[in-house]
Structures are given as structure tokens and as C-alpha cells.
């Protein structure tokens, strides 16, 4: 029987991340993976603008023949696809997000992060919150492994406790990635923890914890679904009007997201 315990909540608060074993069954993982392949093969309707290729492969003939070899990211699956939408109602997901964020929770966004076999590239150290116009910066990313995430194929790596540094300026660029100054070649640090997890398990991380993934050096892709949740009392800070955010649990609050 699944349980997200008080110890896991404390670990999340202290370290900035915590593993969630057996969030999904192997059947549920297989169903999501079959659906992803059906979307990529065009057997299921899905807007093309939400499917992003590895930048250096965008014009390669491989992109026309075998999309799973070149797709890097698929955005907005949870709110646009009926099978992925089921995750937002999944009792284990609801139990976990409400344990960390409280009873009133909304979805900010979600994306499937694929690291294609052999050349799937690194994502350098960064915090998530500086990318989003949401205050306070206390959101939670649930990264669900849809393949075993290993040291070799680019599992998540964290700097334990780094969410307590507060938001850092992300003013250095590496390709299309943004990261804090001086974090490109991080010296070995005892706080750095690699977190391999099997398919169906997840990691929940605080939106200010520093994290990265290394390249995929194996012959198989590595898929992970990154789903971002926020308290329904959060505020939208951009000048543009706030989008309508999906209510995952509890109730909404006037003047908030
Ligand atoms: O999956 C990856 O390669 C990067 C994940 C990440 O940075 C995130 O989910 O915030």
C-alpha cells in the first residue's frame, strides 16, 4: 500500500528533494509509454508545437523516420491528453502533493523530458523557480521516471539543501540553457547527490534546489515526466494576464493563481 510519510515530508523540507518509491505500477508506466509512442507516431492527435527535438537533430533525416530517437521534450501532456490527465487524479499523486503543499493545489505545467539514446544532452545545474513568474518560490516538481533513471543515462543530481540559498540570478547561458554564474563546472561537492530511481518511482524537489542531469551515454532513451505543482494561494507576478491553471486538489483563492 502506497504511503507518502511524514519523514518524507521532513526530508523534502531539509534536503530540497525526496524519493517517492512505487508511485505508479509497471502497468501504469507501460500505458503512459505506449501513449507517448502513439503521440510521436502521429496515431494520437497532439499539437506539434509542444513537441521539441534535440536542437542539433532538428534538420536531420532521422527526425522524419524515427521520432523517438530525436525528441527531447513534449510539453503540456497532462492537460491535453486524456491518458496523461489521469495522473492529475491519481490517488498516490494527490496524497504526495497535498502532503507537501497543503490541501489547495494547482498545476503549473508539465513536460516529458526525453534524453535520446547516445547523444541526449546534459541539462546544467539550475533552479526551477527563476524560470516562472510565481511567488512565493515554493513550488514542487514531481519527476516521474518512465524508464529506469540511472547514472549512465542521466538521472537527476541534486545539491542537498541548496534550496535554502534562495533564488540565484540565472544569467549564464549554455546553448538554450540558463544557469547561475559559475555553475558550469561545479567542483566536486559532498552535497552533490545522484539519485537513480526505477521506472514508476518519482523524486519530488523544491523549486529552488539546484539540480542537473548529465548526458545519456546508453543505447536507450531516458524518459521522465516532470510535473510542477503550486499552492493555490500562489501569486502570478508577470505583466501578462495569468493563464487558467488546473485545480489539482482543494479550492481556489481570490486574487491568486
Ligand atoms: O530530466 C531532465 O533531464 C531535467 C529535469 C529537470 O531539470 C526538471 O525536471 O526540473
Amino acid at each position: 500500500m502506497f504511503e507518502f510519510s511524514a519523514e518524507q515530508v521532513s526530508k523534502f523540507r531539509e534536503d530540497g528533494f525526496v524519493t517517492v518509491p512505487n508511485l505508479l505500477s509497471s502497468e501504469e508506466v507501460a500505458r503512459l509509454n505506449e501513449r507517448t509512442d502513439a503521440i510521436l507516431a502521429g496515431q494520437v492527435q497532439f499539437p506539434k508545437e509542444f513537441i521539441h527535438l534535440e536542437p542539433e537533430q532538428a534538420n536531420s533525416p532521422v527526425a522524419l523516420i524515427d521520432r523517438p530517437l530525436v525528441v527531447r521534450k513534449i510539453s503540456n501532456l497532462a492537460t491535453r491528453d486524456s491518458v496523461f490527465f489521469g495522473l492529475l487524479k491519481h490517488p498516490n499523486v494527490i496524497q504526495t502533493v497535498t502532503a507537501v503543499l497543503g490541501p489547495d493545489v494547482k498545476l503549473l505545467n508539465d513536460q516529458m523530458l526525453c534524453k535520446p539514446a547516445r547523444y541526449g544532452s546534459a541539462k546544467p545545474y539550475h533552479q526551477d523557480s527563476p524560470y516562472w513568474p510565481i511567488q512565493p518560490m515554493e513550488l514542487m516538481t514531481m519527476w516521474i521516471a518512465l524508464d529506469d533513471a540511472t547514472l549512465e543515462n542521466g538521472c537527476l543530481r541534486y545539491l542537498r539543501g541548496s534550496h535554502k540559498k534562495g533564488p540565484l540570478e540565472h544569467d549564464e547561458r549554455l546553448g538554450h540553457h540558463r544557469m547561475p554564474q559559475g555553475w558550469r563546472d561545479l567542483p566536486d561537492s559532498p552535497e552533490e547527490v545522484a539519485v537513480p530511481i526505477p521506472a514508476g518511482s518519482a523524486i519530488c524537489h523544491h523549486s529552488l534546489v539546484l539540480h542537473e542531469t548529465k548526458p545519456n551515454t546508453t543505447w536507450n532513451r531516458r524518459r521522465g515526466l516532470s510535473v510542477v505543482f503550486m499552492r493555490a494561494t500562489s501569486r502570478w507576478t508577470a505583466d501578462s494576464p495569468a493563464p487558467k491553471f488546473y485545480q489539482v486538489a482543494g479550492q481556489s483563492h481570490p486574487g491568486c493563481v
Side-chain angles (χ1 to χ4, degrees):
M1 164 96 174
F2 178 85
E3 196 208 341
F4 190 78
S5 66
E7 289 78 63
Q8 282 167 298
V9 177
S10 305
K11 218 166 159 31
F12 175 90
R13 301 221 191 292
E14 195 48 36
D15 293 347
F17 64 92
V18 66
T19 53
V20 189
N22 304 317
L23 181 85
L24 303 182
S25 68
S26 50
E27 292 75 27
E28 288 166 331
V29 170
R31 181 135 195 264
L32 295 172
N33 284 341
E34 276 161 25
R35 187 68 170 185
T36 303
D37 284 342
I39 289 171
L40 292 181
Q43 292 155 355
V44 170
Q45 289 283 336
F46 197 78
K48 284 196 176 43
E49 64 270 27
F50 296 141
I51 302 179
H52 310 273
L53 306 188
E54 277 279 348
E56 60 285 16
Q57 295 300 321
N59 300 316
S60 142
V62 179
L64 299 173
I65 303 164
D66 195 342
R67 309 248 285 162
L69 284 181
V70 295
V71 168
R72 169 68 174 194
K73 186 155 96 176
I74 311 173
S75 315
N76 301 316
L77 281 159
T79 46
R80 296 212 167 237
D81 180 79
S82 55
V83 173
F84 279 88
F85 182 67
L87 278 175
L88 301 179
K89 308 238 169 248
H90 195 294
N92 300 353
V93 172
I94 303 280
Q95 189 193 132
T96 304
V97 296
T98 53
V100 172
L101 296 175
D104 302 334
V105 178
K106 290 197 174 185
L107 174 77
L108 175 67
N109 61 41
D110 70 274
Q111 40 190 347
M112 163 95 67
L113 296 160
C114 309
K115 261 193 208 292
R118 301 302 295 166
Y119 70 90
S121 56
K123 170 88 185 158
Y125 264 107
H126 65 285
Q127 300 171 314
D128 291 337
S129 254
Y131 286 86
W132 304 319
I134 302 289
Q135 287 286 348
M137 293 183 171
E138 289 171 5
L139 298 85
M140 187 194 93
T141 296
M142 179 182 272
W143 193 97
I144 306 171
L146 294 174
D147 295 300
D148 293 345
T150 65
L151 296 177
E152 295 76 26
N153 71 7
C155 67
L156 274 152
R157 309 170 83 92
Y158 293 93
L159 275 195
R160 197 192 295 278
S162 54
H163 58 307
K164 295 177 185 166
K165 291 178 191 293
L168 302 172
E169 206 64 58
H170 280 51
D171 47 7
E172 193 165 335
R173 282 183 186 270
L174 185 63
H176 58 286
H177 302 297
R178 282 165 48 202
M179 60 190 162
Q181 279 287 348
W183 287 79
R184 185 178 303 213
D185 296 309
L186 183 73
D188 279 348
S189 156
E191 275 77 49
E192 193 184 31
V193 197
V195 191
I197 51 169
S201 291
I203 311 174
C204 289
H205 70 237
H206 189 289
S207 59
L208 286 176
V209 77
L210 282 152
H211 58 287
E212 69 157 3
T213 60
K214 292 201 181 295
N216 182 358
T217 59
T218 72
W219 289 97
N220 297 304
R221 68 188 149 163
R222 184 236 62 189
R223 286 161 294 189
L225 187 71
S226 177
V227 193
V228 183
F229 300 94
M230 57 188 166
R231 292 194 180 91
T233 49
S234 305
R235 280 167 291 106
W236 174 258
T237 57
D239 291 335
S240 55
K244 183 143 181 47
F245 294 108
Y246 177 77
Q247 185 93 41
V248 176
Q251 59 186 43
S252 62
H253 292 259
C256 300
V257 289

